[in-house]
């Protein structure tokens, strides 16, 4: 199966590599083309533009940073729309708002192409190990055609119906995650400051009703001051912002998510690079543990 892949950031690079390891023929593109080199060393081909990738491949997947990037790859010169047609499928796995997803879907289908949105739940490590959760919506036939690729990329795929539902589900999931991780980070700092052993706190949490893989995976790294990037702060804030907008559209008050978003905004504005690129929940804990009054 030949697949195109647009976007080789933390997620896209890992996902493309998994497809190559499992025997897929992959043609990649990235705005900074030098990021394609490692994939080429593992057998990937390179498209000079998104349009070139779509022309070559029956199915093209995109994993891009935000709504602006997702729209640009489709609508700009040498973009997806220049080569999409009735024999081509386009799967956008980026995390965007439902309106952006619907706009892309309308443009693709107006050219006769087939569209599926398929954002994922999971960050760097699940992407590397093929353990993502795929939240697809759109054309069911394209979803079924993409199952072999989804089975490599994720541990479970959901088909959620019409375009927009995948984006909504992803925003709800990331809103919950962002709110949880703010509380978790503050709890670790509170345990340390009040004289408790934070490792004991992790053990207690892991045996209780709020045990979850995220706490179990992130907690030990946080206590070891390991803040290697997994999910950039700017992307988490983008997801929180879009989730809050979805709440406004549906008249849902979300004071906890709004407070969590303010914390993320504070650290994003207060702290210089390279910290802005670090996994935000680890970063909150790092600063909270090392500063007074934050």
């Amino acid at each position: 199966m030949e697949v195109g892949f647009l976007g080789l950031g933390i997620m896209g690079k890992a996902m493309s590599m998994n497809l190559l390891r499992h025997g897929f023929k992959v043609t990649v593109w990235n705005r900074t083309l030098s990021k394609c080199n490692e994939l080429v060393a593992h057998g990937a081909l390179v498209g000079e533009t998104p349009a070139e990738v779509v022309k070559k491949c029956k199915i093209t997947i995109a994993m891009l940073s935000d709504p602006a990037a997702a729209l640009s790859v489709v609508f700009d010169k040498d973009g997806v729309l220049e080569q999409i047609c009735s024999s081509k499928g386009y799967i956008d796995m980026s995390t965007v708002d439902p309106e952006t997803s619907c706009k892309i879907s309308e443009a693709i289908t107006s050219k006769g192409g087939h569209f599926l949105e398929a954002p994922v739940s999971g960050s760097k490590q699940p992407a590397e190990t093929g353990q993502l959760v795929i939240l697809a919506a759109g054309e069911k036939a394209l979803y079924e055609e993409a199952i072999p690729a989804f089975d490599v990329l994720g541990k479970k795929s959901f088909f959620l119906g019409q375009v927009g539902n995948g984006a909504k589900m992803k925003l709800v999931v990331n809103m919950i995650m962002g709110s949880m991780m703010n509380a978790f980070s503050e709890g670790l700092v509170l345990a340390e400051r009040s004289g408790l052993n934070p490792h004991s706190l992790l053990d207690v949490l892991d045996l209780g009703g709020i045990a979850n893989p995220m706490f179990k995976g992130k907690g030990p790294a946080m206590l070891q001051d390991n803040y290697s990037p997994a999910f950039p702060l700017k992307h988490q804030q983008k997801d929180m912002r879009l989730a809050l907008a979805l709440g406004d559209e549906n008249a849902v008050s979300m004071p906890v998510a709004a407070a969590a978003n303010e914390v993320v905004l504070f650290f994003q504005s207060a702290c210089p690079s390279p910290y802005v690129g670090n996994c935000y929940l680890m970063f909150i804990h790092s600063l909270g543990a090392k500063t007074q009054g934050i």
Side-chain angles (χ1 to χ4, degrees), residues 11 15 63 93 95 118-123 126-127 129-136 143 150 152-160 166 169-170 173-174:
M11 299 294 289
M15 294 163 71
M63 175 58 88
M93 303 187 78
T95 298
V120 301
S121 179
S123 57
T129 57
Q131 293 296 298
L132 297 168
V133 178
I134 297 168
L135 310 171
Y143 171 76
F150 287 169
V152 166
L153 299 174
K155 60 184 177 182
K156 176 72 175 179
S157 300
F158 291 87
F159 182 76
L160 302 173
M169 183 68 80
K170 175 61 187 292
V173 168
N174 274 19

Side-chain angles (χ1 to χ4, degrees), residues 38-256:
E38 185 176 350
L39 278 299
V40 170
H42 286 81
L45 300 176
V46 177
E48 294 292 324
T49 66
E52 184 178 322
V53 175
V54 172
K55 182 178 181 180
K56 188 175 188 307
C57 303
K58 185 177 181 183
I59 294 177
T60 297
I61 295 170
M63 175 58 88
L64 303 159
S65 59
D66 56 27
L71 291 168
S72 174
V73 160
V74 173
F75 290 97
D76 284 0
K77 185 179 184 300
D78 296 320
V80 170
L81 282 185
E82 293 191 10
Q83 291 295 331
I84 202 74
C85 60
S86 61
S87 62
K88 306 287 186 180
Y90 185 65
I91 303 174
D92 193 348
M93 303 187 78
S94 317
T95 298
V96 300
D97 55 281
E99 291 75 20
T100 295
S101 198
C102 289
K103 184 174 182 179
I104 292 172
S105 175
E106 290 167 5
I108 296 294
T109 56
S110 72
K111 293 270 193 173
H114 309 277
F115 180 75
L116 192 73
E117 61 172 354
V120 301
S121 179
S123 57
K124 182 181 179 181
Q125 185 176 4
E128 291 173 340
T129 57
Q131 293 296 298
L132 297 168
V133 178
I134 297 168
L135 310 171
E139 186 173 319
K140 186 67 178 290
L142 180 55
Y143 171 76
E144 292 172 348
E145 189 174 0
I147 285 293
F150 287 169
D151 285 347
V152 166
L153 299 174
K155 60 184 177 182
K156 176 72 175 179
S157 300
F158 291 87
F159 182 76
L160 302 173
Q162 66 184 11
V163 171
N165 286 350
K168 291 174 186 176
M169 183 68 80
K170 175 61 187 292
L171 294 179
V172 171
V173 168
N174 274 19
M175 179 272 291
I176 294 170
M177 179 187 74
S179 302
M180 286 173 59
M181 294 315 300
N182 270 280
F184 180 54
S185 301
E186 291 175 1
L188 286 175
V189 174
L190 179 59
E192 291 176 306
R193 293 274 181 90
S194 61
L196 296 173
N197 184 336
H199 293 280
S200 296
L201 172 62
L202 294 183
D203 291 340
V204 170
L205 291 175
D206 195 43
L207 292 170
I210 59 172
N212 66 78
M214 188 163 57
F215 290 178
K216 188 170 185 176
K218 302 291 187 183
M222 294 163 74
L223 296 184
Q224 294 170 11
D225 288 338
N226 176 3
Y227 306 116
S228 56
F231 188 27
L233 182 67
K234 63 181 180 180
H235 295 334
Q236 177 61 51
Q237 197 282 314
K238 176 259 297 182
D239 294 350
M240 295 293 287
R241 172 174 52 81
L242 294 177
L244 288 167
L246 183 64
D248 289 343
E249 291 171 15
N250 290 277
V252 177
S253 176
M254 299 191 295
V256 173

Side-chain angles (χ1 to χ4, degrees), residues 35 198 286:
K35 289 189 175 183
S286 174

